[in-house]
């Protein structure tokens, strides 16, 4: 199920911010498919809720991959947009993901460092152990939070923001995200999603300067996510 102006899952909104729990399959920003992106859906939501005539301003600050779900923040003012862009650029945000992988990593918790090379034609990134030409350093930390029947659930903190970083880095250590055919999963998920969810985003409010923590829960209609939540994982 894709997001619409009627069913969009709003986590938080004020005069400066709109924070959404993105569904797997939603595009954040328009691409060559021509599908209606989440930013336009959110504009429709604002226009209807506040009866706004004319164009609604909503700035895209960051993106999630189409098959990924979770927290996405939009800026409702140009001031908020410029400040949020600077925060993301300067890594003044904390991003926490949940990932379900097909093979448990060797270590229960660790920091992974790779050097990423993006291939735009394939829309794919390759993680190398050592620095190679055109590569960018990628760092994340993870810990095991649940062992499910056939999979392992991880909590992941991103320290850099590279293209397909989590997907590529876990594939590089042999722990492919469930459903992620692009990075080596044996089978796809029936809805085209992958089991990667942006669970929490922490930052300072761009105008009020107050610490904010936005939390999104994954789709509990999905038995794997339901099993994770039912396992006693309580990090909301």
């Amino acid at each position: 199920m894709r997001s619409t102006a009627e069913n969009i899952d709003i986590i938080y909104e004020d005069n400066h911010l709109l924070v959404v729990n993105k569904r797997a399959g939603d595009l954040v920003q328009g691409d060559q498919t021509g599908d209606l992106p989440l930013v336009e859906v959110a504009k429709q939501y604002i226009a209807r809720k506040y009866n706004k005539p004319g164009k609604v301003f909503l700035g895209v600050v960051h993106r999630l991959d189409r098959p990924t779900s979770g927290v996405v923040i939009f800026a409702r003012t140009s001031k908020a947009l410029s400040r949020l862009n600077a925060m993301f650029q300067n890594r003044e945000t904390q991003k926490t993901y949940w990932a379900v992988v097909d093979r448990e990593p060797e270590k229960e918790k660790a920091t992974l460092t790779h050097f990423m090379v993006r291939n735009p034609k394939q829309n794919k990134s390759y993680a190398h152990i050592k620095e190679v030409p055109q590569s960018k350093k990628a760092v994340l930390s993870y810990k095991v939070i649940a062992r499910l029947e056939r999979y392992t659930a991880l909590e992941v903190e991103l320290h850099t923001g590279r293209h397909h970083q989590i997907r590529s880095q876990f594939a590089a250590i042999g722990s492919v995200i469930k459903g992620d055919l692009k990075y080596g999963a044996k089978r796809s998920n029936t809805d085209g999603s992958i089991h990667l969810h942006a669970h929490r985003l922490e930052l300072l409010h761009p105008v009020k300067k107050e610490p904010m923590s936005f939390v999104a829960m994954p789709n509990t209609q999905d038995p794997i996510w339901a099993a994770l939540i039912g396992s006693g994982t309580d990090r909301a």
Side-chain angles (χ1 to χ4, degrees), residues 13-32:
E13 63 182 301
D14 63 18
N15 291 335
H16 309 282
L17 306 177
L18 185 72
V19 187
V20 178
N21 186 359
K22 171 190 168 318
R23 292 176 169 89
D26 287 342
L27 271 173
V28 173
Q29 204 168 16
D31 69 2
Q32 69 279 5

Side-chain angles (χ1 to χ4, degrees), residues 202-214:
E202 296 175 74
L203 45 69
L204 282 180
H205 192 286
V207 178
K208 300 174 185 176
K209 305 299 184 185
E210 298 169 352
M212 308 290 287
S213 180
F214 304 115

Side-chain angles (χ1 to χ4, degrees), residues 26-58:
D26 287 342
L27 271 173
V28 173
Q29 204 168 16
D31 69 2
Q32 69 279 5
T33 64
D35 292 345
L36 188 69
L38 186 60
V39 64
E40 295 301 326
V41 171
K43 285 179 182 179
Q44 291 176 357
Y45 161 81
I46 291 169
R48 292 181 188 186
K49 180 172 181 179
Y50 299 103
N51 198 23
K52 281 184 171 285
K55 288 186 176 180
V56 172
F57 178 87
L58 200 63

Side-chain angles (χ1 to χ4, degrees), residues 168-185:
S168 181
Q169 284 196 272
F170 280 111
I173 65 167
S175 298
V176 178
I177 291 172
K178 184 182 182 301
D180 197 357
L181 289 181
K182 184 181 283 282
Y183 287 93

Side-chain angles (χ1 to χ4, degrees), residues 106-124:
E106 290 181 10
K107 295 181 180 179
E108 186 152 330
K109 61 179 180 178
T111 296
L112 301 182
T113 301
H114 289 93
F115 294 88
M116 309 279 291
V117 177
R118 181 175 182 176
N119 184 321
K121 287 184 179 178
Q122 294 179 317
N123 189 30
K124 190 172 179 179

Side-chain angles (χ1 to χ4, degrees), residues 64-89:
L64 294 179
D65 299 339
R66 186 165 193 166
T68 303
S69 57
V71 181
V72 174
I73 186 168
F74 295 107
R76 292 192 60 192
T77 61
S78 55
K79 179 194 286 188
L81 179 60
S82 62
R83 291 179 181 177
L84 286 168
N85 281 339
M87 282 184 211
F88 277 80
Q89 181 99 24

